[in-house]
Amino acid sequence: MATMLALVEEGDEVIVFEPFYENYVPDAAMSGAKLVFVELRAPDFALDPEALRAAFSARTRAIIVNTPNNPSGKVFTRPELEQIAGLCQEFDCLCITDEIYEHILYDQHEHVPMATLPGMYDRTVTISGLSKTFSVTGWRLGYVLAPPVLSDAIRKVHDFLTVGAPAPLQEAAGIAMEQADAYYPELRGMYDAKRRQLYSALRDAGFECHLPQGAYYIMADFSHLGFPGDDYAFARHLIENIGVASVPGSSFYRDGKGAKLVRFTFSKSPETLAEAAARLARM
Ligand SMILES: Cc1ncc(COP(=O)(O)O)c(C=O)c1O
């Protein structure tokens, strides 16, 4: 929010990939930006170079890249990021990244920070945080890395929005980050096991879904379950009759496209996931 309010003006266009993390829409609304969407499709959510280029215009101020992605689990590849970087330079615009799941990756997928690509440091605002990596979502502790010409304005807006993150939490974050090198592989291993556990439970229950490449969510298509209603009705049915919570898919799309999808998280204990599997099996 601070980055958008600081760097985007009324009427500027900001490109967002769909499905998207819900907050980008209110962030854009409050900064006066117009969002331009580029759809990525299951199962691999690969980037379509033509659709991407078509989204850029003389009015483009920024593109938001969330990798690894919530909700799709997509991890943008280096060639995909290079395409985005090339267009940012051609159209002289900023890249705002959301890399909060940077340490939660599976199989051979690697996280490439946009700011490390040639020519991109000066035009990239890298955003990350402690919530996911250190399982402290309640702390809401994040950070922004950007060249001074950009971070000057972001720091001012941030000061007016929140004043600052609580100092004791910042101290704890510093200690955690200093000691984390050995912890990151452990984190990945833990989530890989949970990823497979939830994926099997969903497949066994009749959902159509794919193993995510990163982050800790699975988008599941319930079309084949014979449920008559939309994603909101289905999510309510799951809570009331099955005892499992999910997020309706349309939260991550503009209009109607998520109506047969719900998003589950596997950021839960193995016991909770096992119980969820048992409940889903009763559907
Ligand atoms: C893509 C993405 N960005 C940012 C956040 C915000 O994290 P926090 O407010 O905990 O720093 C989340 C949390 O769900 C997220 O999924």
Side-chain angles (χ1 to χ4, degrees), residues 78 81 85 99 111-122 124 126:
R78 185 179 289 273
L81 293 168
E99 305 181 27
H111 176 66
V112 180
M114 180 61 99
T116 63
L117 295 188
M120 287 308 286
Y121 174 76
D122 285 339
T124 301
T126 304

Side-chain angles (χ1 to χ4, degrees), residues 21-24 66 68-71 98-101 127-132 136-143 216-217 263:
Y21 171 55
E22 315 97 290
N23 283 34
Y24 305 145
N66 169 215
N69 187 267
N70 171 11
D98 179 343
E99 305 181 27
I100 199 154
Y101 298 99
I127 302 179
S128 194
L130 279 285
S131 292
K132 320 295 175 178
V136 288
T137 47
W139 291 22
R140 313 247 81 105
L141 204 52
Y143 51 88
Y216 49 51
Y217 306 99
R263 191 205 67 180

Side-chain angles (χ1 to χ4, degrees), residues 12 29 34 47 80 106 112 155 174 204 214 236 254 256 258:
D12 284 348
K34 177 181 169 241
L47 191 56
E80 287 177 331
Y106 310 109
V112 180
R155 278 181 281 141
D204 290 349
R236 185 172 286 278
R254 277 162 300 171

